[in-house]
Amino acid sequence: MSKIESFDDFVKVHGILLAASGLPPKLYPRLFQKLASDTLDGGAYFQIESSDDDRRRKLLLTSDSMPKDSDVFLVDHAWTFRLPDACKQLKEVPGLAERMASLMSVDIDVEAGEEEEVAEELSVHQIIDNEVRYAADEGYDSLRWLELEGLGIVDDSLLSLHLPSQFQDLVALSLIGNKIESGDVVIQEVTKFKNLKALWLNDNPVLQKSERQMADEILQGCPSLEIYNSCFTPNYGLWALGFCGDIFGKDNPGCVQQDQPLCNVTSLDLSNRSIHNLSIRPAFHVHEMPKLSHLNIRGNPLDQNSVGELFEVLQLFPSLSSLEVDIPGPLGDNALEILEALSKLSLLNGVDTAKILENGKLVIYAMLQPRIPEPNPEDTLVDRVLGAMWLYAMNYRLADEEKLDESSLWYVMDELGSALRHSDEPNFKVAPFLFMPSGKLESAVSYSVMWPIKSLQKGDECTRDFLSGIGEDEQRSARLTAWFETPENYFIHEYEKYQQKLQAKAFDSLPSKPSISRSIRHSDGSPLLVYTDLPQVEEFLTRPEFVITNEPKDAHILWTSVQVDEELRKEVGITDDQYINQFPFEACLVMKHHLAETIQMGYGSRKWLQPTYNLETQLSQFIGDYYVRKRDQMNNLWILKPWNMARTIDTSITDNLSAIIRMMETGPKICQKYIEHPALFKGKKFDLRYVVLVRSIDPLEIYLTEIFWVRLSNNPYSLDKHSFFEYETHFTVMNYGGRKLNHKPTAEFVREFEQEHNVKWMNIHEKVRQVIREVFEAAALTHPEMQSPKSRAIYGVDVMLDSSFEPKILEVTYCPDCMRACKYDMETMDGKGIVKGGDFFNYVFGCLFLDETAHVTPL
């Protein structure tokens, strides 16, 4: 079609896009009018304002009113990018990083946060002297509260302060942000305080070494301790509750005996205190806090209480009208059931309970705190944008009549569009839209369109649903973690249950059975007809026992790269008497999410399979794993892989939780723990491609070809976060996309690797053989339906070695690309022979169909 000149032309060209957007048809003419004149008139109707509760801006309506479906507005795209290009664009496009940083509210100079006038630094002894004077001025006969934070205190200086002998009545001691390393020193000093109620050691190196053992000994030595590192101890009581209720603190350490000190507490924030039991402590009772009206118990496991016990405790508080609690969480996963048990509540997680009952909402997200990027003084402006962009970016994928684009385009709306905050009950809808003024895709200009789906009045905040159309059946609650601080304890609990299930799995070895596969050679010596759509087979299968035919229905053997299903069988005329190079249900091996599932079903957890999650079904368990690693200060680098894409298409590496969740939007993926410390070859990452021949599943008859090949990255390996955008640093498949392929002869690689790392390759090779055997055993055990007497197949198995030279399975590939096997003559590992590349398919077919074992070994 030529240039669009009329509304009818517009609808004809953009009909599918219009329908997909959800825009009401009555607004089509208005949209066409604005697109044709490039009218971005949102500024006349809306105003961007700063938000009081977080750094994100908000969008308010400034016109007197706006009825539902009354108008449509164009929103410009301030930045459009493919993910691998994001870092490069931010560095190279003038002004882009600055605009994005401002839009995302991460443009505040980290150094500007420092005080303009730096006060003269006081020594530890000067601070102690000041604290002693302050306590005396307040009327206390001794120091009860001491804060020595961020003063560079080390083990020796802690000992030299002699704090226990100076301040025997100390109630609270904070040593946050120092450099204490020895657990023994901490235990020795702290356990001398017999009246200590609170101890903070947060952000000291000692917690990375022996926190659990140290905590146990401190609690034994300080039986009165109620708060340890911001968490409640099992001994918590009135003092800890009073601290959280702003009764006790530096000005009132709580050292004087008081009758009912909490009697006037109306609001109590107990969030994220690691409380395991609420009902057993007599301090948490209506007699102590008769006026309690607002309670926040988010972020606590409360795993020593049943739901019923917790309801019984809370029902005793007559004034309790507002409750904040994780849902799902310790009170269950149903807001309606909570309100049924606690009928006096007027607010649940900040939402009017009448509104909850009216709408029948089971899960309440309204009071989730926005996820704010954590500032790092070492981050550049580009780093900050790369971290924050997942809170703003949206995506679409281009397509035409012929094909779908392999990778998605991400985009950030302009300042107006990006100011739309989330709501479960939004009043606007937003959708991407490509306007093609010439009628063709190459002329496309990308916008977003937004329109009111509810009537608004002047001053109303304009909102959209970040997960529009996604419900709990698609893990909505978990996916909101990309933008909000969701309850960590819930996800950690889901992860722990999942781990227990994996660890409880016992694998039964396959029973030994005699071989059943036989040569299918014709008794009269006539050749076997082979149909193939693979040029390599057509060119290199040269044995006289096999002859290529162009007619599939005439072939004895079908060797094809396409999936042969029932529809294709009928269309082509394929019969059950023909041999085929694929097994039924082989998806359990060759699709990445099914491979992990197959191994986990067969073995539970295996050290040769990195922790792997199907994000479509196991997002909560993954988030729990992420939080546990973050809590334990472990590496949290993950690789995301599409279920069924080859050549690392749409594959990403990141430690950003929001990024991982958001990338689910571009297609189903697994998330697998990245091997951050792989074995390297001359400083570069590599993996190994093995070729496995399968004659039978039951009994399991598999063979490993003598040859394998190494695939090398082009750049030296690095864990610098900018390198994760560099394909040639972290990936090894170079024979596509015009990249430089560095072929390394296998025998040469083995010799040089042995010399570089002082290892014996045969020891590694035996481990690899065992791992590959176990992968196929898992498939045979968990999917016996794979067995087919007319199936014989070849699979590529990709393996990586970690820095301890332990093999890790990466993936199994159907009908692998064997270009290297056919192109290069390869020396056998024992150095005793040469395998001619041109003979590769000759001996593959000899093994699978003629019962030969030349250049293959049974597994």
Side-chain angles (χ1 to χ4, degrees), residues 81-374:
F81 59 95
R82 296 192 191 274
L83 198 53
D85 303 327
C87 183
K88 187 172 185 285
Q89 288 184 11
L90 287 168
K91 288 179 177 180
E92 296 180 0
V93 177
L96 177 62
E98 289 75 14
R99 182 182 181 186
M100 289 299 103
S102 174
L103 182 151
M104 299 173 188
S105 300
V106 293
D107 56 339
I108 303 166
D109 190 351
V110 175
E111 295 179 359
E114 300 173 358
E115 295 293 334
E116 291 184 9
E117 295 182 12
V118 180
E120 182 181 348
E121 289 189 7
L122 299 177
S123 70
V124 175
H125 292 287
Q126 288 173 317
I127 290 173
I128 291 174
D129 290 342
N130 289 345
E131 294 293 320
V132 171
R133 282 195 294 272
Y134 175 82
D137 292 343
E138 293 294 312
Y140 297 108
D141 56 1
S142 62
L143 186 65
R144 309 295 175 92
W145 192 288
L146 182 58
E147 297 177 4
L148 302 174
E149 300 178 356
L151 298 172
I153 296 172
V154 297
D155 300 334
D156 290 343
S157 54
L158 179 61
L159 288 169
S160 69
L161 291 173
H162 303 293
L163 295 177
S165 59
Q166 290 192 75
F167 311 114
Q168 298 176 3
D169 298 326
L170 207 62
V171 172
L173 173 63
S174 175
L175 296 167
I176 291 174
N178 286 293
K179 299 178 180 179
I180 301 166
E181 296 189 18
S182 171
D184 292 338
V185 168
V186 172
I187 294 165
Q188 174 185 323
E189 292 299 286
V190 167
T191 53
K192 294 175 183 176
F193 294 108
K194 298 308 176 186
N195 300 310
L196 201 63
K197 296 286 188 184
L199 173 66
W200 291 276
L201 295 167
N202 311 54
D203 299 327
N204 276 280
V206 67
L207 296 184
Q208 300 176 22
K209 298 180 178 180
S210 54
E211 180 178 11
R212 186 152 300 182
Q213 180 182 351
M214 184 174 68
D216 291 341
E217 296 195 35
I218 289 174
L219 290 176
Q220 288 177 13
C222 300
S224 299
L225 197 68
E226 298 188 26
I227 295 178
Y228 175 68
N229 292 345
S230 305
C231 298
F232 280 18
T233 74
N235 301 323
Y236 81 88
L238 287 175
W239 193 92
L241 294 172
F243 175 78
C244 292
D246 294 327
I247 301 297
F248 301 136
K250 184 176 180 179
D251 295 334
N252 177 21
C255 49
V256 179
Q257 193 68 31
Q258 296 174 257
D259 185 34
Q260 283 192 295
L262 311 185
C263 62
N264 291 318
V265 169
T266 59
S267 179
L268 187 60
D269 184 355
L270 300 180
S271 59
N272 301 307
R273 293 288 178 183
S274 294
I275 303 172
H276 293 271
N277 197 320
L278 202 63
S279 64
I280 199 172
R281 307 305 299 170
F284 190 84
H285 197 276
V286 65
H287 296 315
E288 300 291 348
M289 298 178 288
K291 298 180 181 179
L292 185 66
S293 62
H294 173 79
L295 176 65
N296 185 348
I297 54 174
R298 285 182 183 274
N300 293 293
L302 296 173
D303 48 3
Q304 295 176 13
N305 298 126
S306 67
V307 173
E309 288 171 341
L310 291 172
F311 281 145
E312 286 179 15
V313 172
L314 297 176
Q315 286 165 350
L316 295 174
F317 291 89
S319 302
L320 187 63
S321 59
S322 173
L323 177 67
E324 292 186 45
V325 62
D326 297 331
I327 306 176
L331 294 182
D333 58 4
N334 191 315
L336 300 178
E337 291 178 3
I338 293 174
L339 295 182
E340 184 179 344
L342 303 173
S343 57
K344 295 179 182 179
L345 290 180
S346 58
L347 290 174
L348 178 59
N349 291 352
V351 180
D352 189 315
T353 54
K355 198 171 184 181
I356 298 170
L357 293 168
E358 178 186 343
N359 296 330
K361 294 184 72 174
L362 302 183
V363 181
I364 305 302
Y365 320 111
M367 290 297 290
L368 293 177
Q369 293 301 307
R371 187 174 291 280
I372 304 298
E374 299 175 6

